[in-house]
Amino acid sequence: MRCVVFGATGYIGGRLVPELVAAGHQVRVVARTPDKLAEVPWLDKVEVVRGDVTSEEDMRAAVADQEVVYYLVHSLTERDFTGIDQRAAHIVAAAARSAGVRRIIYLGGIVPRQTPLSRHLASRAEVGEIFRESGVPTAELRAAVIIGSGSASFEMLRYLSERLPAMITPRWVHNRIQPIAVRDVIYYLVRSAELPDDVNRAFDIGGPDILTYLSMMRKFATVAGLPRRMVLPVPVLTPWLSAQWVNVVTPVPRALAIPLIESLVHEVVCGEHDINTYIPEPEGGPTTFETAVELALARVRNAQVPTRWSDAGIGGAPSDPLPSDPEWSGGSLYEDIREKRTSASPVTLWAVIESIGGENGWYSFPLAWSLRGWIDRLTGGVGLRRGRKHPHTLHTGEALDWWRVEYIDRPRLLRLRAEMRVPGLAWLELGVEPEPDGGARYRQRAIFQPHGLVGHLYWKAIAPFHGIVFGGMVRNIIGTAESGTPVDLPPADDRLVTTPEGSGGR
């Protein structure tokens, strides 16, 4: 079938697209920033078009001549995410109806019986209703906690379980949850394209286990080989206070933790299993919670996480790539430019640059980077904990600690855009230029476009530390490159080994 996918740069969408291709469908991918897909392995197998779900013109063009619409977009971290999501759903639904689309498939959340719903769950339910009432047959798949490497829910569970052998928790840890493995979510999404044309309804999808969040943490600890976790529930921790704690302890920022935790206040258990009337269960049956955790941890250990929650970006951060040269700004632009020649080869120097961040660090004054990361976390930013997918390889659009990989021209230039909380826009460029007589020249440029007086004061306040931070980066990157074998890259074949965690077809 001809399928168009909205949200392909996100966690689920990035895993769904290759499975649709493998199933034989013709796939069109709609992205507000197509450059984020520049290095995905399936790029040459799909059609990529630029489009914003809040633009009627873009959506009419995006769904033209398509049979199935996959809608995997949520504005979760935006301040007015409810209004944005409803407006976008109306625009997409109207475009699909006018284009004669045969089916809309939407991934929402299980709607608990308790009321009132959290803003997050209520918004997702409203979007599903908009699609079902659009006149286009809609399959709304409703899932609770999705367990898979890189999902926000899994990362929150993982870090809480790993870092806190004993913890004081709110009462909601005793609420029942029916988690589902990401591989089963992908399986049902792919097969939903085959539903009969008269099916227009919501389906609850879940795994075989109904657990409390407390039992999920303890089962995770068992699978991960950790000692039993001691938990003391108390009644005073509200969802808002819980989100502050999650923001500090885990990589999940406060803007995302609040709606996730607000949803856990409810019991989210499947009310029906009607999906199996139309779609058979996955081969071997639905994935158990323990198996889902084992598969996810294997992906993490082997640096084979294909998509992460952070791939979709964070509200409040610059969302689109912007050129970083003074000519475009129309205003002030501060720069810190440094360069140095090295006897190391361009290939070796580039290997150091592309391995920067995550466990490899930033090659300069670790305490300062750590402190700045904590300040960012405490103010609701992303901090340094997002890390990186692979220890040695980067791709356009992926998160790297508090940066986003905006542009990569291997092996010459890496441009990172800051997603930390700063009064302006910031970039960091790291480059390699071969020298004609051997060796290479390392070029480093920090760029800052201030917003208002506060932005100017911010740059001037931190300027005295640039010699320590940025100067140290130059010295240490060059020193690492000249030290012999700075980065032990695995063989290319090893980096292509996969586990079946995200495979819809098993």
Side-chain angles (χ1 to χ4, degrees), residues 175-187:
N175 290 345
R176 297 188 308 155
I177 303 167
Q178 192 165 354
I180 183 171
V182 65
R183 65 195 314 222
D184 292 345
V185 174
I186 300 299
Y187 169 80

Side-chain angles (χ1 to χ4, degrees), residues 149-487:
S149 60
S151 78
S153 297
F154 176 75
E155 291 295 286
M156 189 169 82
L157 174 68
R158 172 191 167 199
Y159 279 86
L160 287 175
S161 302
E162 288 181 347
R163 294 183 172 175
L164 300 174
M167 64 191 94
I168 297 174
T169 58
R171 287 180 297 184
W172 54 258
V173 298
H174 290 294
N175 290 345
R176 297 188 308 155
I177 303 167
Q178 192 165 354
I180 183 171
V182 65
R183 65 195 314 222
D184 292 345
V185 174
I186 300 299
Y187 169 80
Y188 283 118
L189 284 169
V190 172
R191 294 296 301 271
S192 291
E194 305 166 13
L195 289 170
D197 291 345
D198 60 347
V199 174
N200 182 50
R201 55 163 294 182
F203 295 98
D204 289 350
I205 58 173
D209 304 300
I210 298 177
L211 308 164
T212 65
Y213 203 83
L214 173 58
S215 62
M216 286 170 60
M217 287 192 289
R218 286 177 170 164
K219 284 179 178 291
F220 177 94
T222 299
V223 173
L226 303 172
R228 180 178 174 84
R229 276 25 210 161
M230 302 300 295
V231 177
L232 175 63
V234 295
V236 295
L237 287 180
T238 64
W240 186 87
L241 287 173
S242 299
Q244 314 312 306
W245 182 238
V246 169
N247 176 68
V248 171
V249 176
T250 82
V252 181
R254 186 167 59 212
L256 184 56
I258 289 177
L260 287 177
I261 290 176
E262 284 179 343
S263 300
L264 295 174
V265 172
H266 307 289
E267 288 201 339
V268 278
V269 176
C270 294
E272 43 79 18
H273 299 280
D274 296 349
I275 189 71
N276 294 134
T277 303
Y278 301 94
I279 300 174
E281 287 188 343
E283 183 180 351
T287 308
T288 65
F289 175 78
E290 287 91 340
T291 300
V293 170
E294 289 173 355
L295 292 169
L297 288 176
R299 286 269 194 178
V300 173
R301 285 193 300 269
N302 297 325
Q304 295 166 355
V305 181
T307 60
R308 296 189 298 171
W309 61 269
S310 54
D311 292 340
I314 293 296
S319 59
D320 294 321
L322 296 171
S324 54
D325 292 316
E327 292 78 18
W328 68 268
S329 65
S332 300
L333 196 73
Y334 293 109
E335 295 179 294
D336 182 282
I337 302 175
R338 301 170 190 266
E339 62 178 66
K340 186 177 181 180
R341 192 186 188 286
T342 173
S343 59
S345 71
V347 172
T348 301
L349 179 58
W350 178 261
V352 178
I353 290 174
E354 195 171 355
S355 298
I356 200 167
E359 296 296 323
N360 300 318
W362 290 88
Y363 297 98
S364 174
F365 203 180
L367 180 61
W369 284 90
S370 179
L371 179 61
R372 183 63 181 87
W374 274 105
I375 292 173
D376 197 54
R377 296 291 295 178
L378 292 173
T379 57
V382 297
L384 286 172
R385 288 222 184 94
R386 293 190 300 184
R388 48 182 296 154
K389 286 183 186 177
H390 190 280
H392 309 299
T393 305
L394 294 173
H395 297 286
T396 304
E398 77 171 90
L400 174 62
D401 290 329
W402 67 41
W403 305 91
R404 178 78 53 181
V405 180
E406 180 177 276
Y407 178 76
I408 184 167
D409 180 13
R410 194 177 286 108
R412 287 181 290 272
L413 178 66
L414 171 65
R415 180 185 299 149
L416 307 174
R417 185 182 72 246
E419 292 189 329
M420 70 186 90
R421 290 185 175 271
V422 291
L425 303 175
W427 294 264
L428 178 63
E429 291 184 344
L430 311 176
V432 177
E433 181 179 317
E435 290 285 346
D437 55 347
R441 182 166 295 276
Y442 171 68
R443 299 183 183 276
Q444 178 179 293
R445 183 166 71 141
I447 309 129
F448 182 69
Q449 185 199 15
H451 285 174
L453 177 61
V454 175
H456 291 275
L457 295 176
Y458 171 81
W459 178 266
K460 294 182 184 301
I462 64 173
F465 301 99
H466 285 174
I468 300 174
V469 176
F470 294 133
M473 284 185 69
V474 174
R475 291 190 299 273
N476 292 326
I477 287 176
I478 293 296
T480 303
E482 293 178 348
S483 66
T485 308
V487 179

